[in-house]
Amino acid sequence: MTVDVLLQQFFNALGLGVMYALIAVGFTLFFGVIEVVNFAHGEVFMLGAFGAMVVGTAMAGAGVEAGSVTYLLAVLAIIIIVGALFGAALEKFIVAPMRGAPDIMTLLITLGASIVVREAVMIFFPDGRNPQPFPQMIQMDSFNIGGALIKPETIICIVISAILISMMYWIIEKTALGRYIRATAQDRQAALMMGVNANRVFIITLILGSVLGSVAGLMNGMSYGIIKFNMGFAASIKGFAAAVVGGLGNMYGAVVGGLLLGFLEIFVVSFLPNGSSYQELVAFLIVILCLVFRPSGLFGEKAYDKV
Amino acid sequence: MLKLVNVSTFYGSVPVLRNVNIHVPKGSITCLLGANGAGKTTTINTILGFVRPSAGEVFFKDNFIAHASTEDIIRMGIAVSPEGRRVFPKMTVEENLLVGAATDKDKARVKRNIERAYTMFPRLGERRNQNAGTMSGGEQQMLAVSRALMSNPEIILLDEPSLGLAPLVVNYIFDTIKAINEGGTTILLIEQNGFKALQLADRAYLLQKGEIVAECTENTPEAKEKFKEIYMANHTKKDE
């Protein structure tokens, strides 16, 4: 095994890991703050990818050079808006009406919403049943790092994720809004007693998490060049697995869980004989192991340890 | 300042409060006593809008508040130090105080209020960057009281501030309550163990099984003595 191959796989794993981490942070925020398991979270991932494709194709048609910096930034901006709208709609029409209902109800209704969105894209998107080619988002040569050729998409994904996760850290730890989010996660009623507007906290949490999910969808399209209406399902399982490994409700645990899952998958694919057939198993396996041996996650502390 | 008029509250079909009348005049320390399960915390939850009374009205400064949102009620000038303190365990002392100021947009005033809290409880100042969950019960109670003061309330509801604390710490907390009151804040003090609270109080009510069974509306030794007798009788009855 040479250094360049290791480096190559390291960057592949990192690129995959940050994508899982972005999805996992959403799951963990929703669980920690709003106390819902949002099964529709995979669909914002899918919508992010489809939105990027539609916007990208339209812009290329309108004469913006595909793959230029403005092109990528414009797509990113619109995807962020798509994610925010999805999150706000989810709170308004799905999560808020179920507030106070048993957890299983919220769980089922998000699952229902997920199926509706997925099937709607399949039926109403032109040729939605089939895989769609994803427009090229950047035109750049591959980076040569230590002899390994790293795709520019991978580097961009890692950079965007690092920026987004740092921003999340800043929002949660340093701003007044973040304090209200943490307070609500730790003791919702006490936060209400302080006059914290919980409804605002809920909708903002859903918007933040969904934006991360939609950007992850864009990153998925960039990395693989092909997207499909049902891509959200697998992504949500991976993201959920990563969140469980990190301890549901623990944002930093979710980031670590995502990276861990990315590295494990790439390890299995590249270093085990016939490994790629087992890639999809990794997520399930570590969820099962985690639930059996560390139900509160790798960094599990006490029950109040949220966000 | 705060008035409950004929308030009845149900949890489902179970009546928890029946025809409760409480009047907390401006500037007073009013004390609400009662055993476990008498409905003391439900009274607080009704005032704060967490449960809606099925009959009766809650007035605050002549506004009906029984159907206002909790946030609006806090904004009007009611603050609470909840039962069991309920500080945010994974946040620092200072962050807890800042959450207490959630309804205050004036940054300079928030800063002044934080300094005031540290002056009132130097211990909190020493631990401003420590997570609240790692502090002792007494320190958490100081934090809960200071956090309630952060919203510049006109009235504070103190739900069992002595719960689970050592007698010396209780004395300290009660001295502070008196000082806060002398600073102009009205206080509704809710206690299970009432003798200490009675010494402090201008007025007192005794809640039993959701009903006010005794009240002391004059701040005179005779009236208090009479109230104490009823309270004692109730107390011993409960113990039998």
Side-chain angles (χ1 to χ4, degrees):
Chain A
M1 195 69 52
T2 50
V3 174
D4 53 327
V5 173
L6 277 176
L7 265 175
Q8 186 84 50
Q9 300 301 6
F10 174 81
F11 276 95
N12 286 347
L14 197 59
L16 196 61
V18 290
M19 192 176 79
Y20 292 154
L22 287 187
I23 306 170
V25 167
F27 270 113
T28 220
L29 273 181
F30 303 152
F31 184 82
V33 179
I34 319 174
E35 292 171 12
V36 299
V37 175
N38 172 18
F39 275 124
H41 192 46
E43 302 324 311
V44 76
F45 175 83
M46 182 270 288
L47 286 178
F50 272 76
M53 179 185 68
V54 170
V55 173
T57 315
M59 279 206 309
V64 184
E65 192 195 342
S68 63
V69 175
T70 26
Y71 181 85
L72 179 64
L73 287 181
V75 169
L76 190 61
I78 288 171
I79 289 321
I80 288 175
I81 294 170
V82 167
L85 288 178
F86 184 86
L90 203 60
E91 160 72 10
K92 268 255 154 337
F93 303 117
I94 306 288
V95 180
M98 300 307 281
R99 199 147 289 143
D103 289 348
I104 185 79
M105 297 292 184
T106 320
L107 200 142
L108 284 175
I109 198 174
T110 59
L111 190 62
S114 146
I115 295 170
V116 168
V117 172
R118 189 189 317 150
E119 301 297 302
V121 167
M122 180 186 91
I123 294 169
F124 295 114
F125 198 83
D127 196 22
R129 216 170 280 274
N130 294 325
Q132 312 278 328
F134 197 77
Q136 197 182 7
M137 287 287 153
I138 16 178
Q139 287 177 338
M140 231 189 270
D141 292 333
S142 292
F143 293 87
N144 187 334
I145 301 178
L149 283 182
I150 312 298
K151 280 199 306 179
E153 282 85 356
T154 310
I155 303 288
I156 298 278
C157 287
I158 295 169
V159 170
I160 292 177
S161 309
I163 293 172
L164 285 178
I165 289 169
S166 315
M167 274 173 64
M168 284 302 290
Y169 169 82
W170 179 76
I171 291 174
I172 297 286
E173 298 292 339
K174 304 290 175 196
T175 67
L177 176 67
R179 276 196 297 277
Y180 302 148
I181 291 178
R182 279 183 291 150
T184 308
Q186 289 172 29
D187 190 335
R188 183 187 294 186
Q189 199 186 24
L192 286 169
M193 285 172 169
M194 300 303 123
V196 169
N197 184 340
N199 289 327
R200 212 174 120 232
V201 165
F202 294 151
I203 197 163
I204 288 173
T205 304
L206 268 161
I207 287 175
L208 287 174
S210 298
V211 165
L212 297 185
S214 67
V215 174
L218 164 69
M219 287 168 33
N220 183 280
M222 280 168 65
S223 303
Y224 297 106
I226 273 187
I227 58 177
K228 209 177 167 204
F229 72 95
N230 62 1
M231 63 194 279
F233 180 68
S236 68
I237 286 176
K238 306 268 176 83
F240 187 68
V244 168
V245 169
L248 268 177
N250 181 339
M251 196 172 98
Y252 310 109
V255 174
V256 177
L259 292 174
L260 193 71
L261 184 57
F263 275 90
L264 274 176
E265 281 195 0
I266 294 296
F267 176 81
V268 167
V269 169
S270 45
F271 299 124
L272 293 189
N274 199 13
S276 52
S277 3
Y278 303 119
Q279 179 179 8
E280 304 301 311
L281 274 182
V282 174
F284 295 102
L285 195 65
I286 63 173
V287 164
I288 292 169
L289 288 178
C290 206
L291 289 178
V292 170
F293 295 106
R294 297 293 308 245
S296 51
L298 288 184
F299 314 99
E301 291 170 47
K302 291 182 189 97
Y304 60 67
D305 193 26
K306 292 178 182 169
V307 178
Chain B
M1 167 162 279
L2 180 69
K3 232 180 195 169
L4 280 77
V5 181
N6 295 327
V7 167
S8 298
T9 303
F10 285 73
Y11 284 149
S13 61
V14 184
V16 187
L17 295 180
R18 271 176 297 195
N19 256 341
V20 167
N21 287 286
I22 295 174
H23 179 209
V24 187
K26 193 173 164 62
S28 71
I29 297 184
T30 301
C31 186
L32 178 62
L33 302 180
N36 250 341
K40 303 188 299 295
T41 298
T42 304
T43 308
I44 288 221
N45 286 342
T46 307
I47 297 171
L48 291 176
F50 284 124
V51 285
R52 303 295 181 196
S54 45
E57 252 307 336
V58 183
F59 296 91
F60 178 60
K61 294 192 294 186
D62 297 327
N63 297 314
F64 299 90
I65 61 166
H67 296 276
S69 75
T70 303
E71 194 194 350
D72 288 340
I73 291 169
I74 306 292
R75 234 174 248 285
M76 282 178 190
I78 299 182
V80 60
S81 158
E83 183 182 7
R85 306 178 279 272
R86 306 283 285 273
V87 295
F88 302 112
K90 297 285 281 183
M91 295 170 82
T92 66
V93 168
E94 189 140 328
E95 287 174 331
N96 266 276
L97 292 175
L98 285 168
V99 173
T103 53
D104 193 348
K105 295 270 168 288
D106 182 344
K107 281 193 175 150
R109 186 167 55 199
V110 171
K111 211 166 176 177
R112 276 203 306 279
N113 286 344
I114 289 181
E115 286 313 316
R116 183 187 64 189
Y118 292 160
T119 321
M120 193 189 305
F121 296 113
R123 188 70 72 84
L124 294 184
E126 291 163 23
R127 316 205 152 189
R128 64 178 76 187
N129 294 321
Q130 188 176 330
N131 274 359
T134 63
M135 300 200 302
S136 74
E139 289 161 350
Q140 290 190 12
Q141 188 61 55
M142 295 174 202
L143 179 56
V145 172
S146 310
R147 187 180 60 174
L149 282 171
M150 288 299 294
S151 59
N152 310 296
E154 292 180 49
I155 178 168
I156 296 198
L157 320 177
L158 294 167
D159 197 349
E160 305 218 15
S162 69
L163 189 75
L165 301 186
L168 263 177
V169 185
V170 174
N171 286 344
Y172 181 57
I173 298 280
F174 273 53
D175 288 346
T176 325
I177 293 171
K178 198 163 174 53
I180 292 168
N181 178 248
E182 280 160 3
T185 311
T186 309
I187 284 170
L188 175 59
L189 176 61
I190 292 175
E191 271 292 337
Q192 193 180 138
N193 233 322
F195 292 106
K196 231 177 157 64
L198 274 178
Q199 287 170 14
L200 218 65
D202 305 313
R203 299 166 70 89
Y205 294 87
L206 179 59
L207 194 59
Q208 197 187 36
K209 291 182 182 156
E211 285 174 293
I212 299 285
V213 292
E215 58 183 39
C216 162
T217 51
E218 294 162 67
N219 190 9
T220 58
E222 300 84 50
K224 273 192 173 178
E225 212 40 59
K226 212 171 148 208
F227 183 85
K228 235 181 230 172
E229 269 170 34
I230 306 176
Y231 177 61
M232 282 282 277
N234 257 288
H235 215 59
T236 37
K237 210 161 51 190
K238 192 197 78 186
D239 286 346
E240 272 167 16

